[in-house]
Amino acid sequence: MNRIIVKTQDGDVKISRHIYGHFSEHLGRCIYNGFWVGNDPEAAAAIPNTRGIRNDIVAALRRIKIPNLRWPGGCFADEYHWKDGIGPRQARPTMINTNWGGVTEDNSFGTHEFLDLCGQLGCEPYICGNVGSGTVQELSQWVEYCNFDGISPMTELRRKNGRAEPWKVRFWGIGNENWGCGGNMTAEFYADNYRRYATYARNYGDARIYKIACGASDFNYDWTRVLMEKAGGQMDGLSIHYYTIPGEWAKKGSATEFAEAEWYITMQKAAGMDELVCKHSAIMDEFDRKRRVGLVVDEWGTWLDVEPGTNPGFLYQQNTMRDALVAGLHFNVFNNHAERVYMANIAQTINVLQSVMLTEGSKMILTPTYHVFDLYKAHHDAVKLPVYVESETTGGLPALSASASEDSEGRIHVSLTNIDVKQEQDLKIELRGLTLSPSINVAGQILSSENMTAHNTFDKPDMVKVKDFNAVSVSGARLAVTLPPMSVVTLELA
Ligand code: AHR
């Protein structure tokens, strides 16, 4: 039997819009030939752009109300020296992007370009600093360069480079994956370093910064414990990274050619996010009962084999209905743990891993994952309503997952996923605390397909897209809903 109870009068915490954040690294075609065409005169002439940043991408991300963008990495962040990416572009030094394909990075996209991009997107920047191979002074000066409003060597440099006003960047990451590509540190060593680097990442005037410590990979609970114990008082957020990988590291599985068994393995791995959030949060609770420190899932998503014929170091993968369901499952977990999860960032926005957009020359397509972001934007900064889900099983997993919220105008949104590849699911939704009149206005939108490998291509960009959903009716005091197989739905009750 399928049954969902939404406790409409028990809303307490806000679902931070930053849960719907993005991550864009100097990796493959995410920045270069993704967002940025400013260093390629031919592309810049053919593709409408504003100061080198593609207009179609900006418009699409504004539609899903992108709240923040994490940059410049990832592993790249701990090799990046920000001063190489400012000043006249022709004079910027190059470097080797050792993590991602060994290509030459020309530093044409740097701090000013990134902050211009965030301005165009209307989102908050989240800058990840270099702890692995950088210095305390370097990070400290980056913060000063971006945020100080007085007279100082860094503000003079900023002015010389064409920007008088500080940007007042709030979100700063103190290193990335410092247990691995960010320096192979122990938790104890990193915790001490975190404290040192964080000390000199200053607040200037009203530019108060939110410092995010590098957190654990996957199920490494020891890292979280050490960080909370030794440095919990000095941080605002603690990250975790978790990727959904259906196969083994060496053979992760094709993005578009997979069987039903792989679909369910993927869903099972994606469901691991709930366990991770619960267990890391429980450790954080021991040290931080008031939940002051936010859990920041600043890398999540599917990691699959690259598309045949593409550079293995560029991590370019297609995106199907399977990715859409993974996104829906994750968002329900994040929404339902809004008391601790403050931010999350999908890896990565364009042309890398579980992207929301893919580009080919001047063409740009939206992936099924993009449409899930669209369906869930109703939850941004809305008050979480607790849900109770009783579900049939499929492939050994609950077929259904759900989350709900009430927005500032009193509208209730309920988002639902059905991971079953074959069966539709009939369910009743009880809106506890609400009297349903038969005339209540229930509108719905759905993303679904009869084909689990359905995806959008440059020739057929609308194979998977959001449609109106009508299989919902008022039945006594409940809503009766029929969810098609492989579907993500958001209902709105006004
Ligand atoms: O997103 C790709 C990579 O995955 C990031 O650079 C790194 O932080 C993680 O291992």
Side-chain angles (χ1 to χ4, degrees), residues 190-414:
Y190 171 72
D192 285 344
N193 270 289
Y194 172 82
R195 294 164 63 116
R196 211 159 64 94
Y197 278 74
T199 301
Y200 301 98
R202 304 285 193 196
N203 290 318
Y204 293 106
D206 63 350
R208 318 303 291 176
I209 71 176
Y210 185 102
K211 295 174 200 168
I212 300 167
C214 158
S217 167
D218 310 330
F219 303 92
N220 183 353
Y221 299 113
D222 187 51
W223 182 279
T224 296
R225 179 170 296 284
V226 172
L227 262 289
M228 287 305 292
E229 189 178 5
K230 292 192 176 295
Q234 280 94 352
M235 66 179 74
D236 301 292
L238 178 61
S239 88
I240 55 168
H241 289 180
Y242 179 66
Y243 285 96
T244 296
I245 304 172
E248 299 302 317
W249 188 250
K251 183 82 193 102
K252 301 177 187 74
S254 160
T256 53
E257 288 171 24
F258 52 86
E260 198 175 302
E262 281 170 278
W263 167 281
Y264 282 112
I265 289 171
T266 309
M267 297 306 145
Q268 185 218 325
K269 298 265 177 92
M273 183 54 86
D274 192 49
E275 179 185 341
L276 277 174
V277 167
C278 289
K279 291 189 175 165
H280 285 289
S281 298
I283 295 168
M284 292 172 81
D285 287 349
E286 287 177 37
F287 299 91
D288 173 34
R289 298 217 164 275
K290 293 195 171 152
R291 297 186 173 136
R292 185 190 60 80
V293 180
L295 185 59
V296 173
V297 189
D298 53 15
E299 289 186 30
W300 69 270
T302 54
W303 194 324
L304 304 163
D305 290 342
V306 297
E307 285 306 295
T310 65
N311 186 330
F314 282 12
L315 312 186
Y316 176 75
Q317 66 190 44
Q318 248 293 1
N319 195 291
T320 65
M321 273 310 294
R322 179 174 62 163
D323 297 84
L325 267 298
V326 168
L329 288 174
H330 278 68
F331 290 149
N332 286 339
V333 171
F334 299 151
N335 285 351
N336 289 331
H337 293 284
E339 63 289 337
R340 182 60 89 176
V341 181
Y342 177 67
M343 186 191 284
N345 305 76
I346 192 164
Q348 301 191 3
T349 321
I350 308 163
N351 294 332
V352 171
L353 300 175
Q354 189 176 347
S355 310
V356 298
M357 275 170 248
L358 301 174
T359 62
E360 194 179 83
S362 61
K363 292 184 186 166
M364 186 274 280
I365 54 172
L366 306 174
T367 66
T369 300
Y370 174 93
H371 294 300
V372 180
F373 271 85
D374 198 21
L375 287 175
Y376 277 72
K377 70 183 179 207
H379 297 293
H380 290 203
D381 285 340
V383 174
K384 176 188 108 176
L385 301 177
V387 293
Y388 165 81
V389 180
E390 218 173 280
S391 171
E392 299 285 352
T393 58
T394 179
L397 299 164
L400 302 178
S401 84
S403 64
S405 66
E406 180 172 350
D407 70 14
S408 55
E409 284 161 47
R411 291 174 300 214
I412 291 179
H413 294 98
V414 182

Side-chain angles (χ1 to χ4, degrees), residues 409-413 437 439-443 491-494:
E409 284 161 47
R411 291 174 300 214
I412 291 179
H413 294 98
S437 85
S439 63
I440 190 165
N441 188 2
V442 188
L491 302 174
E492 176 176 287
L493 283 85

Side-chain angles (χ1 to χ4, degrees), residues 23 25 27 70 73-76 100 176-177 179 181 241 243 249 299 303 315 347-348 352-353:
F23 166 43
E25 180 167 13
L27 194 180
R70 177 175 183 251
C75 295
F76 181 78
W100 308 118
N176 169 75
E177 296 196 351
W179 38 262
C181 63
H241 289 180
Y243 285 96
W249 188 250
E299 289 186 30
W303 194 324
L315 312 186
Q348 301 191 3
V352 171
L353 300 175

Side-chain angles (χ1 to χ4, degrees), residues 38-308:
N39 56 348
D40 177 346
E42 228 171 88
I47 303 170
N49 67 87
T50 303
R51 295 179 294 279
I53 294 162
R54 281 182 73 141
N55 295 347
D56 52 355
I57 290 174
V58 168
L61 288 171
R62 288 183 73 95
R63 278 203 298 279
I64 54 172
K65 297 187 171 39
I66 178 175
N68 69 70
L69 183 61
R70 177 175 183 251
W71 172 88
C75 295
F76 181 78
D78 282 279
E79 274 196 311
Y80 181 64
H81 300 285
W82 69 272
K83 283 186 186 163
D84 294 346
I86 56 172
R89 285 198 198 107
Q90 327 73 264
R92 295 183 191 176
T94 61
M95 65 178 279
I96 309 166
N97 191 335
T98 54
N99 287 287
W100 308 118
V103 295
T104 302
E105 159 71 52
D106 70 3
N107 274 308
S108 56
F109 189 90
T111 302
H112 289 252
E113 290 78 13
F114 171 64
L115 293 168
D116 184 17
L117 167 63
C118 291
Q120 292 188 35
L121 292 170
C123 79
E124 283 202 60
Y126 167 10
I127 294 182
C128 183
N130 179 347
V131 170
S133 70
T135 64
V136 173
Q137 185 186 31
E138 205 178 338
L139 179 55
S140 171
Q141 289 187 332
W142 203 359
V143 177
E144 182 188 324
Y145 187 87
C146 292
N147 288 4
F148 186 50
D149 201 7
I151 298 167
S152 82
M154 289 303 110
T155 54
E156 286 313 304
L157 188 58
R158 191 182 70 217
R159 265 179 239 280
K160 204 175 113 213
N161 290 329
R163 173 83 187 193
E165 295 297 306
W167 289 281
K168 300 191 180 175
V169 175
R170 183 159 67 114
F171 297 124
W172 289 86
I174 312 294
N176 169 75
E177 296 196 351
N178 301 94
W179 38 262
C181 63
N184 283 305
M185 302 176 193
T186 62
E188 287 77 7
F189 183 78
Y190 171 72
D192 285 344
N193 270 289
Y194 172 82
R195 294 164 63 116
R196 211 159 64 94
Y197 278 74
T199 301
Y200 301 98
R202 304 285 193 196
N203 290 318
Y204 293 106
D206 63 350
R208 318 303 291 176
I209 71 176
Y210 185 102
K211 295 174 200 168
I212 300 167
C214 158
S217 167
D218 310 330
F219 303 92
N220 183 353
Y221 299 113
D222 187 51
W223 182 279
T224 296
R225 179 170 296 284
V226 172
L227 262 289
M228 287 305 292
E229 189 178 5
K230 292 192 176 295
Q234 280 94 352
M235 66 179 74
D236 301 292
L238 178 61
S239 88
I240 55 168
H241 289 180
Y242 179 66
Y243 285 96
T244 296
I245 304 172
E248 299 302 317
W249 188 250
K251 183 82 193 102
K252 301 177 187 74
S254 160
T256 53
E257 288 171 24
F258 52 86
E260 198 175 302
E262 281 170 278
W263 167 281
Y264 282 112
I265 289 171
T266 309
M267 297 306 145
Q268 185 218 325
K269 298 265 177 92
M273 183 54 86
D274 192 49
E275 179 185 341
L276 277 174
V277 167
C278 289
K279 291 189 175 165
H280 285 289
S281 298
I283 295 168
M284 292 172 81
D285 287 349
E286 287 177 37
F287 299 91
D288 173 34
R289 298 217 164 275
K290 293 195 171 152
R291 297 186 173 136
R292 185 190 60 80
V293 180
L295 185 59
V296 173
V297 189
D298 53 15
E299 289 186 30
W300 69 270
T302 54
W303 194 324
L304 304 163
D305 290 342
V306 297
E307 285 306 295

